[in-house]
Amino acid sequence: MATQKTIGMISLGCPKNQVDAELMLDKLARAGFAISGDIEGCDAVIVNTCGFIEAAKVEAIENILDMAEYKKSGDIQKLIVTGCLSERYQYDIRKEMPEVDAVVGIGENANIVQIVDEVLGGDLVEAFADKELLPLTGGRILTTPDYWAYLKIGDGCSNNCAFCAIPEIRGKFRSRSIEDIVDEAKTLAAQGVKEVVLISQDTSLYGRDLYKENKLPELLTAISEVGGIEWIRFLYCYPERIGDELLDVMATNPKVCHYLDIPLQHADKSVLRGMHRPGDRETFENLIKKIREKVPDMVIRTTVMTGFPGETDEQFEELAEFVKAMKFDNLGCFAFSPEEGTVAAEREDQIDEEVKVHRQDLIMQLQHDIVLENNKKFLGKTLKVLVDGYNSYDDTYVGRFYGQVPDIDGTVLFTSPRELMPGEFVDVTVLGFDEYDLTGKAL
């Protein structure tokens, strides 16, 4: 009998890419390959890349080159590159890195078993199908802990922001059907998943392509009826599509976490128009006010960008003033990265790198002070916390309350009078905080 071939996977970038990796791993496992968490000794290693911004491309290339060294020393046999970098740079990858045995576009993910077979048989493969053939559904081998999982509700993007290469890499936005997503939620719940995090490039656009109207509120209600799922949260919600219906579902459905992730990008109207985005400071302030009136304990996260081409000192000041006034619970700030093929990269009024990064630092310092101030409102409160783990070094548990997304936001660090298991819910009284983390004691 032939010995079982072993596959290793390194998946980089966003949770959406992680789900693509989980779908591929399941296909490989069903085809009889052994999946290894240890790269050394693998017959083939897949690097599932991100290619969204410069830093992600650099990370992807470094990982590919690291694996090329493993291949050279005989620690692995074959090297396969998948994901956004492959889709974006296609035939350039093997030209630049001939150590790579296969470059696979996202439309070919469904054929990963055949591609691995060909590579192990000695072939060099460059395979690119229509990106809209990327599988959105199927069995998955979860790479998250077994009590929470990402649930991808669509892929691609139709927003065409001036700074973003995603529509070019991933194609137009396309939704999965409500029935298909609910079926997957049932499968996850049967495996012990208690928290699902809904993801796509723009969750607030969910359903428009299939049903001719936004169906996120309906989807949330349908998933909440799945037994075993206790927390539902969703990421990447565009401000212009946050309406009363969505907020009403959030206010009244106990399973939907009071957490909104709204990438606003800026507050100055002309900068936003340059980004090809609607809205302005007044619109955003009214929206935030409305959200907080309808759902008073809503935790709001946003992302903003500094150094977009043409951003003046005054426009940056407006952004800073807006951040100060809104007191967001969580905020990420990115310095503009000129991505080839995008409208913004072609502009002549690029901002000096040092200025971009300095502005980014100023926003993050502002936000740091806001978080410390915001954390005071939790003191003395008792929160329902999902246990993520235990640190024997200082005898504390780590978990998250509804306002903390895994791997993105802070955590709750707490002591407990009894032993707890990851995936358990427990009530924790908040007694203090340490930067972005809350500290407390389980009841």
Side-chain angles (χ1 to χ4, degrees):
M1 190 181 138
T3 55
Q4 193 179 24
K5 299 287 188 185
T6 306
I7 308 293
M9 168 91 78
I10 296 169
S11 192
L12 305 168
C14 70
K16 298 174 284 288
N17 210 38
Q18 189 173 338
V19 171
D20 292 347
E22 293 173 345
L23 287 159
M24 285 192 278
L25 287 173
D26 184 76
K27 282 188 168 64
L28 291 162
R30 284 172 195 269
F33 291 101
I35 307 298
S36 174
D38 187 12
I39 295 302
E40 274 185 61
C42 282
D43 292 288
V45 169
I46 299 169
V47 182
N48 190 39
T49 59
C50 175
F52 174 44
I53 55 173
E54 193 56 39
K57 284 187 277 190
V58 169
E59 183 189 25
I61 290 163
E62 283 172 354
N63 273 275
I64 296 166
L65 294 174
D66 283 350
M67 290 305 104
E69 288 301 315
Y70 273 79
K71 188 181 159 188
K72 212 180 283 178
S73 62
D75 290 319
I76 67 172
Q77 300 306 310
K78 301 289 181 182
L79 173 54
I80 297 167
V81 179
T82 60
C84 289
L85 196 78
S86 309
E87 184 61 46
R88 195 169 179 188
Y89 295 105
Q90 301 198 347
Y91 298 100
D92 296 339
I93 292 179
R94 285 205 66 255
K95 267 188 211 133
E96 300 293 327
M97 294 177 279
E99 306 91 336
V100 172
D101 297 289
V103 183
V104 184
I106 62 170
E108 293 281 0
N109 283 12
N111 303 320
I112 193 66
V113 171
Q114 183 194 334
I115 288 163
V116 170
D117 280 338
E118 287 172 15
V119 166
L120 291 175
D123 292 348
L124 297 172
V125 179
E126 290 174 305
F128 309 99
D130 184 337
K131 54 191 74 160
E132 301 201 358
L133 294 173
L134 171 77
L136 300 183
T137 188
R140 288 160 60 192
I141 291 180
L142 295 185
T143 53
T144 52
D146 54 13
Y147 53 88
W148 75 265
Y150 292 114
L151 183 47
K152 195 189 213 185
I153 64 172
D155 203 83
C157 189
S158 300
N159 289 318
N160 293 313
C161 301
F163 52 82
C164 182
I166 292 288
E168 179 213 336
I169 300 170
R170 291 252 165 190
K172 280 195 164 56
F173 186 84
R174 52 209 181 275
S175 309
R176 295 170 62 185
S177 71
I178 291 176
E179 295 75 17
D180 189 32
I181 296 167
V182 170
D183 281 347
E184 185 171 359
K186 286 176 181 167
T187 303
L188 292 169
Q191 291 170 6
V193 168
K194 295 178 180 179
E195 174 185 17
V196 289
V197 184
L198 310 189
I199 52 169
S200 72
Q201 265 76 19
D202 176 2
T203 50
S204 47
L205 194 59
Y206 172 74
R208 175 144 306 263
D209 54 325
L210 284 185
Y211 306 106
K212 305 298 170 244
E213 57 181 336
N214 294 3
K215 285 286 192 180
L216 183 59
E218 200 173 308
L219 178 67
L220 293 169
T221 303
I223 295 171
S224 74
E225 286 158 12
V226 175
I229 301 289
E230 293 194 45
W231 274 1
I232 305 163
R233 55 173 94 242
F234 52 98
L235 302 181
Y236 323 114
C237 225
Y238 280 66
E240 63 272 23
R241 287 189 277 276
I242 297 173
D244 288 335
E245 199 187 344
L246 180 62
L247 294 174
D248 289 343
V249 168
M250 297 187 80
T252 57
N253 192 317
K255 288 190 179 183
V256 180
C257 292
H258 291 177
Y259 184 100
L260 266 176
D261 170 33
I262 317 171
L264 295 174
Q265 305 303 358
H266 215 280
D268 178 83
K269 187 172 180 174
S270 58
V271 172
L272 285 161
R273 291 306 167 273
M275 292 176 168
H276 296 175
R277 291 180 70 108
D280 53 35
R281 181 172 173 177
E282 190 186 351
T283 316
F284 294 162
E285 287 183 346
N286 289 337
L287 174 66
I288 303 300
K289 182 167 174 266
K290 176 174 156 179
I291 292 167
R292 287 175 172 155
E293 278 168 5
K294 275 196 173 261
V295 191
D297 64 345
M298 186 76 83
V299 167
I300 302 176
R301 174 182 185 84
T302 192
T303 42
V304 297
M305 182 186 289
T306 57
F308 186 78
E311 183 189 51
T312 63
D313 288 342
E314 292 73 28
Q315 288 167 334
F316 169 70
E317 277 306 319
E318 171 140 36
L319 175 63
E321 287 300 324
F322 172 70
V323 168
K324 215 184 285 183
M326 288 298 93
K327 297 188 169 30
F328 293 104
D329 299 275
N330 299 299
L331 178 143
C333 181
F334 297 89
F336 170 75
S337 165
E339 290 307 306
E340 58 201 285
T342 62
V343 174
E346 305 298 315
R347 284 183 50 165
E348 305 210 328
D349 49 356
Q350 300 292 330
I351 306 287
D352 185 72
E353 195 62 34
E354 268 178 38
V355 174
K356 288 193 280 199
V357 174
H358 177 59
R359 288 175 180 174
Q360 179 190 24
D361 290 344
L362 290 174
I363 295 287
M364 288 318 293
Q365 185 53 53
L366 248 182
Q367 181 60 20
H368 178 259
D369 297 342
I370 290 165
V371 167
L372 296 184
E373 192 54 43
N374 279 350
N375 280 343
K376 290 179 186 167
K377 71 183 174 209
F378 294 110
L379 292 175
K381 284 207 172 130
T382 298
L383 301 170
K384 178 180 169 183
V385 168
L386 181 58
V387 181
D388 279 324
Y390 170 71
N391 182 351
S392 55
Y393 174 71
D394 56 4
D395 193 27
T396 56
Y397 287 90
V398 60
R400 294 171 290 107
F401 80 106
Y402 72 84
Q404 294 167 326
V405 170
D407 301 336
I408 296 177
D409 301 319
T411 56
V412 182
L413 305 168
F414 63 98
T415 55
S416 171
R418 65 180 180 89
E419 193 179 335
L420 302 169
M421 296 304 291
E424 206 176 315
F425 283 100
V426 63
D427 288 329
V428 174
T429 302
V430 179
L431 302 173
F433 52 87
D434 177 14
E435 300 278 309
Y436 292 90
D437 300 316
L438 300 176
T439 57
K441 184 171 148 190
L443 298 183

